[in-house]
């Protein structure tokens, strides 16, 4: 072979190699874009075709493609679950949990490889934070998914109506029991809260607030069990009642507040419940579920029939959404979690830690309260047995000096018919004393007071008193507390089930407006 022939052969090999690499890059790019556009099977095919080429280059490319493969298989298994539900077949989450674990491992490999490459670290920059956040989320989600693939498990889903506000987000009008058998969802049982309550014969001493305004001398009952502002402790109280109603061996509790359903319907559009001759929409879902509770009793099927039918139709509506609309669903769900409208509790302590890490636990106060922080949690409970909270809004004004803080609460009742009878509570960090409570210019001299302990072991002081706001009226509450001058920050907790709220903070340096649109808002005392 001549020198010229050798050079020609070398250039041909180099050209073929370049074409191969270019083809691999094209396949990888297509796999990524197909994944983002929701074409999971085509994306999976492209990623698998690119893998042999990537193995000739470097492990970062390989781990990236493996992550795309794992993401596609995870999403395809989710689609399979959805298809099973649509076809009336029993869905199984075992494959989904396995694919989710594979996705976690692949994403971690990508992260490690990127960290070992200075070029990729500089190239990706701020995007690395998003990858780390995704990996951390997967680390906590995977154990939860895997748990429900092992043996028999039961999940209690509480449907809380925020139009009748309670501590954890709303009145527990209905619930669903989801039974899993080795990952297969074998049964969904939807019931009215009075179905279980009617089977509880035992008497329980009601907590303050419930005793005076809700018990009617009958003690503490299941419909009012979510009185505790800490969701883990509230769930424990609720599960105690369910066990007495022969609904025991429950492995997890999920609370879904009304705004979650409203946000879903805003994306899917109205759904038709043909059997009930009802069109359910974002604007009327609260009214459909607002039926007079006196019309329901143990054994009644009216409301639970509507809920079961609505759940089926909503699943079908979500299945018909395009990729962008499904992304909107995911984003809305994320926003509702941040607002505290999706809460989760597990009796299993290891799983509860995962829920806490995901921000789903609904605990009273932060995981750790800094010693230089003043904590406040204004909490409302509708004890008027109506759905007036659909028409109630609120504003907060926090005025802070060196040793004095005044929290002003304005409650606007925009209803033309119903009054708002509210058992108003304030939970606050130790080291503070109540100076005075004023409602509409009149001082409140009698109020409940006690020390409560959160599920994380932190102690808080709690006060409670009755406040009534007439239709088309405003009630103004001013709570003044004294404290030392050593505090630097203020931390305010948002109640689940309430709309985003404006907070005006006033210090010696002036006023500033904040939006309370997540579970916690913290700012410095300037």
């Amino acid at each position: 072979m001549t020198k010229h022939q050798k050079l020609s052969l070398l250039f041909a090999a180099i050209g073929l190699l370049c074409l191969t690499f270019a083809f691999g890059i094209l396949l990888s790019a297509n796999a990524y874009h197909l994944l983002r556009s929701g074409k999971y099977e085509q994306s999976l095919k492209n990623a698998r075709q690119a893998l042999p080429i990537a193995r000739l280059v470097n492990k970062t490319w390989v781990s990236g493609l493996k992550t795309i493969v794992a993401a596609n298989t995870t999403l395809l298994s989710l689609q399979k679950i959805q298809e099973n539900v649509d076809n009336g077949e029993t869905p199984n989450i075992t494959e989904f949990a396995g694919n989710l674990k594979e996705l976690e491992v692949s994403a971690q490999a990508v992260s490690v490889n990127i960290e070992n490459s200075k070029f990729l670290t500089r190239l990706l920059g701020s995007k690395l934070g998003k990858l780390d956040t995704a990996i951390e989320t997967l680390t906590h989600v995977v154990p939860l998914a895997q748990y429900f693939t092992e043996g028999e498990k039961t999940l209690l889903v509480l449907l809380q109506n925020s139009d009748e506000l309670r501590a954890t987000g709303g009145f527990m009008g209905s619930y669903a029991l989801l039974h899993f058998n080795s990952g297969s969802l074998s049964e969904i049982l939807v019931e009215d809260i009075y179905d279980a309550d009617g089977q509880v014969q035992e008497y329980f001493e009601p907590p303050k607030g419930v005793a005076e305004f809700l018990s009617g001398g009958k003690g503490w009952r299941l419909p009012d069990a979510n009185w505790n502002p800490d969701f883990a402790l509230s769930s424990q109280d609720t599960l105690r009642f369910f066990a007495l109603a022969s609904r025991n061996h429950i492995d997890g509790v999920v609370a879904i507040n009304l705004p979650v359903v409203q946000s879903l319907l805003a994306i899917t559009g109205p759904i038709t419940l043909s059997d009930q001759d009802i069109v359910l929409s974002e604007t009327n879902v609260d009214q459909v579920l607002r039926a007079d509770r006196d019309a329901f009793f143990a054994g009644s099927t009216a409301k639970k029939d509507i809920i079961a039918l609505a759940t089926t139709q909503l699943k079908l509506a979500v299945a018909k959404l395009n990729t962008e609309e499904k992304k909107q669903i995911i984003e809305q769900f994320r926003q509702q979690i941040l607002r505290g409208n999706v809460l989760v509790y597990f009796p299993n302590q290891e799983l509860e830690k995962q829920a806490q890490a995901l921000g789903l636990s609904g605990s009273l106060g932060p995981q750790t309260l800094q010693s230089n922080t003043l904590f406040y949690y204004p909490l409302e409970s509708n004890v008027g047995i109506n759905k007036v909270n659909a028409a109630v809004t609120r504003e907060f004004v926090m005025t802070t000096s060196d040793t004095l803080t005044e929290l002003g609460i304005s409650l606007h009742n925009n209803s033309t018919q119903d009054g708002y009878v509210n058992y108003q509570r304030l939970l606050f960090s130790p080291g503070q004393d109540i100076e005075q409570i004023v409602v509409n210019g009149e001082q409140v001299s009698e109020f409940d007071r006690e020390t409560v302990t959160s599920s994380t072991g932190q102690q808080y002081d709690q006060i409670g008193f009755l406040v009534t706001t007439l239709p088309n009226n405003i009630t103004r509450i001013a709570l003044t507390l004294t404290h030392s001058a050593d505090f630097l920050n203020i931390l305010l907790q948002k109640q689940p089930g309430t709309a985003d709220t404006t907070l005006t903070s006033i210090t010696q340096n002036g006023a500033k407006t904040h939006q309370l649109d997540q579970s916690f808002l913290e700012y410095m005392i300037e």
Side-chain angles (χ1 to χ4, degrees), residues 39-40 58 61 67 83 114 141 170 173 181 230 242 248 250 307 338 348 426 433 441 461 465 492 499:
K39 299 176 180 177
Y40 307 129
N58 64 50
W61 188 358
T67 302
E83 289 170 3
I114 291 174
V141 169
N181 191 347
D230 190 301
F242 269 95
N248 41 21
I250 293 173
I307 292 174
L338 291 175
N348 181 305
L426 179 68
D433 289 315
D461 290 322
F465 51 95
L492 197 72

Side-chain angles (χ1 to χ4, degrees), residues 228-250:
N228 196 305
D230 190 301
F231 185 68
L233 300 179
S234 171
S235 295
Q236 291 170 22
D237 291 332
T238 302
L239 290 178
R240 177 176 58 174
F241 283 102
F242 269 95
L244 293 171
S246 300
R247 291 157 177 81
N248 41 21
H249 305 299
I250 293 173

Side-chain angles (χ1 to χ4, degrees), residues 136-424:
E136 184 179 1
T137 300
L138 283 169
T139 301
H140 301 304
V141 169
V142 167
L144 301 182
Q146 289 179 329
Y147 179 72
F148 284 90
T149 67
E150 303 165 356
E152 295 185 359
K153 298 289 187 297
T154 299
L155 186 66
L156 169 64
V157 179
L158 300 170
L159 306 176
Q160 300 189 142
N161 191 342
S162 304
D163 285 354
E164 185 174 349
L165 193 59
R166 293 295 172 86
T168 62
F171 179 75
M172 300 186 297
S174 305
Y175 62 90
L177 289 168
L178 280 59
H179 298 288
F180 293 86
N181 191 347
S182 300
S184 291
L185 181 57
S186 56
E187 183 184 23
I188 301 178
L189 179 65
V190 179
E191 293 185 319
D192 189 274
I193 197 71
Y194 292 102
D195 288 336
D197 182 57
Q199 299 180 40
V200 179
Q201 303 301 318
E202 287 78 0
Y203 176 89
F204 292 99
E205 193 65 32
K208 293 178 181 179
V210 174
E212 303 95 318
F213 308 113
L214 287 173
S215 69
K218 298 179 181 178
W220 195 11
R221 305 297 302 176
L222 172 58
D224 302 316
N226 61 341
W227 190 256
N228 196 305
D230 190 301
F231 185 68
L233 300 179
S234 171
S235 295
Q236 291 170 22
D237 291 332
T238 302
L239 290 178
R240 177 176 58 174
F241 283 102
F242 269 95
L244 293 171
S246 300
R247 291 157 177 81
N248 41 21
H249 305 299
I250 293 173
D251 302 286
V253 182
V254 177
I256 298 177
N257 292 328
L258 180 61
V260 177
V261 181
Q262 291 172 322
S263 66
L264 288 177
L265 287 168
I267 298 171
T268 64
I271 59 175
T272 302
L273 312 182
S274 54
D275 291 356
Q276 301 285 340
D277 195 25
I278 294 172
V279 176
L280 202 62
S281 69
E282 174 194 9
T283 56
N284 77 349
V285 60
D286 54 339
Q287 298 167 12
V288 172
L289 300 178
R290 193 184 288 180
D292 184 357
R293 71 168 65 169
D294 292 334
F296 297 103
F297 48 87
S300 171
T301 65
K303 186 165 63 173
K304 67 183 182 183
D305 289 345
I306 291 177
I307 292 174
L309 185 57
T311 302
T312 300
Q313 293 303 316
L314 189 58
K315 286 187 293 187
L316 293 173
V318 170
K320 294 176 182 177
L321 296 178
N322 60 39
T323 302
E324 286 303 314
E325 289 169 330
K326 287 180 178 177
K327 288 180 181 177
Q328 291 176 31
I329 291 282
I330 294 171
E331 176 58 23
Q332 266 301 318
F333 199 71
R334 188 183 74 85
Q335 290 295 329
Q336 294 301 332
I337 289 174
L338 291 175
R339 288 175 168 85
N341 286 324
V342 180
L343 303 172
V344 177
Y345 166 73
F346 292 101
N348 181 305
Q349 291 186 1
E350 289 304 312
L351 295 182
E352 179 65 5
K353 289 179 183 177
Q354 308 299 339
Q356 290 173 352
L358 290 167
L360 292 166
S361 63
S363 61
L364 167 59
Q367 295 299 308
T368 302
L369 183 65
Q370 301 299 321
S371 59
N372 63 355
T373 299
L374 291 167
F375 171 79
Y376 302 101
Y377 187 9
L379 196 71
E380 301 170 39
S381 294
N382 183 340
V383 295
I385 313 181
N386 60 19
K387 303 296 186 287
V388 72
N389 287 99
V392 173
T393 59
R394 58 202 53 76
E395 297 168 357
F396 299 142
V397 177
M398 186 78 75
T399 305
T400 308
S401 62
D402 287 343
T403 60
L404 206 68
T405 293
E406 180 183 283
L407 172 60
I409 304 173
S410 296
L411 296 174
H412 300 253
N413 181 5
N414 301 303
S415 171
T416 58
Q417 296 180 334
D418 295 326
Y420 181 29
V421 185
N422 164 35
Y423 184 73
Q424 180 70 54

Side-chain angles (χ1 to χ4, degrees), residues 53 65 79 102 132 149 172 177 213 343 394 408 432 443:
I53 301 171
L65 284 170
Q79 280 189 345
E102 183 183 340
D132 291 339
T149 67
M172 300 186 297
L177 289 168
F213 308 113
L343 303 172
R394 58 202 53 76
Q432 304 181 74
Q443 188 163 336

